[in-house]
Amino acid sequence: MNVIEVNNLRKEFVSKKKRVKENGKTSLFKKDKVIKRAVDDISFCVNEGEALAFIGPNGAGKSTTIKMLTGILYPTSGSVKVMGLDPSKDRIKLSYQIGTVFGQKEQLWVHLSAMDNFKFFGAIYDIRKEKLEKRIKELADLFEVNEFINQPVKSLSLGQRMKCEMIASLIHEPKVLFFDEPTIGLDPIAKETLRKLIKKINKELNTTIIFTSHDVGDIEEVCKRVIIINDGKIVLDDSMKNLKYHYLNKKIIEVNMKNNIKIEKTAGVQVIKSKDTLYKIEADLNQTTMADVMKLFNPDDIQDITISSTPLEEIIKDIYKRREHE
């Protein structure tokens, strides 16, 4: 069953700029209309219980698309159906079916306790007292927030607050949950905890997940399908398994050693930068393993090491390059 259906969706923004005269000077009074197409005739469907990564660089059109899916923006043309509803016409009805979690935008009242916030959201969604108490208990146990549920939100750590943000979004049992950069600013431990909780929501509650993030680790951990959008168009719609094999198979390793070393030539390993005791290498995990890569360094001589995935922008460039050669 499709819970989201998008057909030939387009969104244009109209602005005005001062007209340039033939002599190169700008007109004081006359302006030209400028049309910016943020989303350009995209189509896709999302199945019930699916975990979808909807990603792209800044300005790609992903946030605009999400805003149309949730009814915040109206499409210029095309159609959107979420849970059988048109978000632009049935936004209030749709609000009972969906939830949102924003990493950079709080929805909780920071001076209230987490518990009071949950009760407040329960009242908004007209949930009966007995049912609400049961729902809060279930979610509090699931997210392990009982120790701080009665503390003011402003006193919580970022990781604790994000757990409470997720509970607030799940109070009314939404069928679809939109995540926008939920792990931004979190430390590695809190980030991993949140990823596991999102997977748990998807698996145990069968909640459909739409996930946007610039952190490749997020989408690798949480999602099974990925749509990449760039310049308002979908450039890739594939399984996470295929994306990992073709585009996420490279890792960047930056190492600071105590002394200069010579890195032996190894299949799948390319030295990108070498300066003094700093080394930056790229490892193709289709040709080698991280265990073999680490054998290139004496662990006793390592002062610092960072392992990261290929940046999303580089992945998109790689996709375009491969398509040009097909």
Side-chain angles (χ1 to χ4, degrees):
M1 171 186 167
N2 290 332
V3 295
I4 296 176
E5 296 179 6
V6 176
N7 292 296
N8 304 115
L9 187 64
R10 179 186 296 180
K11 181 61 181 179
E12 295 174 344
F13 293 101
V14 179
S15 61
K16 291 185 178 181
K17 70 175 183 178
K18 290 182 179 180
R19 181 174 296 176
V20 180
K21 298 178 182 179
E22 291 182 1
N23 60 8
K25 294 183 178 180
T26 57
S27 171
L28 292 175
F29 305 103
K30 293 184 179 180
K31 294 184 178 181
D32 292 321
K33 185 167 69 173
V34 178
I35 298 176
K36 164 67 176 176
R37 187 172 294 178
V39 177
D40 192 2
D41 290 314
I42 66 172
S43 300
F44 64 92
C45 294
V46 182
N47 294 324
E48 182 180 11
E50 193 169 7
L52 168 70
F54 192 78
I55 60 176
N58 290 330
K62 62 182 184 298
S63 294
T64 302
T65 302
I66 296 299
K67 287 176 180 177
M68 288 189 282
L69 292 178
T70 54
I72 296 173
L73 288 177
Y74 287 16
T76 301
S77 62
S79 65
V80 178
K81 291 288 184 183
V82 180
M83 299 302 298
L85 299 171
D86 184 335
S88 62
K89 296 177 181 178
D90 303 300
R91 189 179 176 190
I92 294 176
K93 285 184 180 178
L94 183 62
S95 66
Y96 285 80
Q97 302 290 327
I98 66 173
T100 57
V101 178
F102 298 98
Q104 294 179 302
K105 185 178 178 183
E106 295 178 347
Q107 62 179 331
L108 300 175
W109 295 83
V110 295
H111 295 289
L112 297 178
S113 69
M115 175 63 82
D116 287 339
N117 269 283
F118 303 152
K119 290 179 179 179
F120 172 74
F121 280 98
I124 288 177
Y125 290 106
D126 303 316
I127 304 173
R128 296 193 319 273
K129 182 180 178 181
E130 296 79 10
K131 184 178 179 181
L132 177 60
E133 289 176 351
K134 181 181 178 183
R135 180 68 173 166
I136 292 173
K137 186 179 184 308
E138 289 173 349
L139 292 172
D141 291 341
L142 177 66
F143 285 83
E144 299 178 349
V145 300
N146 287 300
E147 288 185 7
F148 51 84
I149 197 170
N150 292 307
Q151 295 179 25
V153 172
K154 65 179 180 179
S155 70
L156 304 180
S157 69
L158 182 56
Q160 291 171 334
R161 181 179 67 77
M162 288 308 301
K163 283 186 176 184
C164 293
E165 290 278 354
M166 290 171 65
I167 291 176
S169 297
L170 288 164
I171 284 290
H172 59 296
E173 301 181 69
K175 301 297 182 184
V176 183
L177 202 52
F178 293 90
F179 288 93
D180 186 13
E181 302 281 358
T183 65
I184 192 166
L186 296 180
D187 63 72
I189 295 175
K191 187 175 289 191
E192 184 62 25
T193 299
L194 207 63
R195 288 170 179 169
K196 288 179 179 178
L197 286 171
I198 295 170
K199 288 174 67 177
K200 201 169 185 178
I201 291 169
N202 175 238
K203 184 177 180 180
E204 296 185 9
L205 305 180
N206 198 39
T207 305
T208 303
I209 302 294
I210 311 297
F211 198 99
T212 70
S213 177
H214 281 89
D215 190 326
V216 175
D218 283 348
I219 63 174
E220 282 188 273
E221 184 81 17
V222 173
C223 303
K224 292 185 178 180
R225 176 186 166 202
V226 60
I227 291 177
I228 297 179
I229 186 171
N230 194 34
D231 293 328
K233 294 180 178 291
I234 291 175
V235 297
L236 183 77
D237 184 348
D238 206 345
S239 69
M240 183 56 63
K241 184 177 180 180
N242 285 341
L243 183 74
K244 281 184 178 181
Y245 182 80
H246 293 291
Y247 301 105
L248 299 180
N249 48 19
K250 294 180 181 178
K251 295 292 181 182
I252 306 298
I253 299 99
E254 296 180 78
V255 186
N256 184 7
M257 304 295 292
K258 292 179 182 178
N259 303 294
N260 291 325
I261 63 169
K262 182 179 180 181
I263 299 178
E264 297 179 9
K265 287 188 177 181
T266 306
V269 175
Q270 179 184 355
V271 178
I272 301 173
K273 186 177 180 181
S274 174
K275 185 178 181 181
D276 298 328
T277 60
L278 296 173
Y279 302 89
K280 184 177 182 180
I281 66 175
E282 182 183 78
D284 186 341
L285 300 186
N286 283 340
Q287 300 181 50
T288 187
T289 65
M290 285 303 301
D292 287 336
V293 172
M294 294 312 299
K295 289 177 183 177
L296 298 172
F297 307 99
N298 183 343
D300 294 331
D301 291 337
I302 295 175
Q303 293 193 103
D304 190 24
I305 184 168
T306 302
I307 301 173
S308 59
S309 300
T310 307
L312 183 60
E313 288 76 10
E314 294 299 318
I315 295 172
I316 293 172
K317 286 180 185 178
D318 194 16
I319 291 171
Y320 279 127
K321 284 181 183 177
R322 293 193 186 197
R323 289 187 174 181
E324 286 175 359
H325 292 90
E326 286 179 356

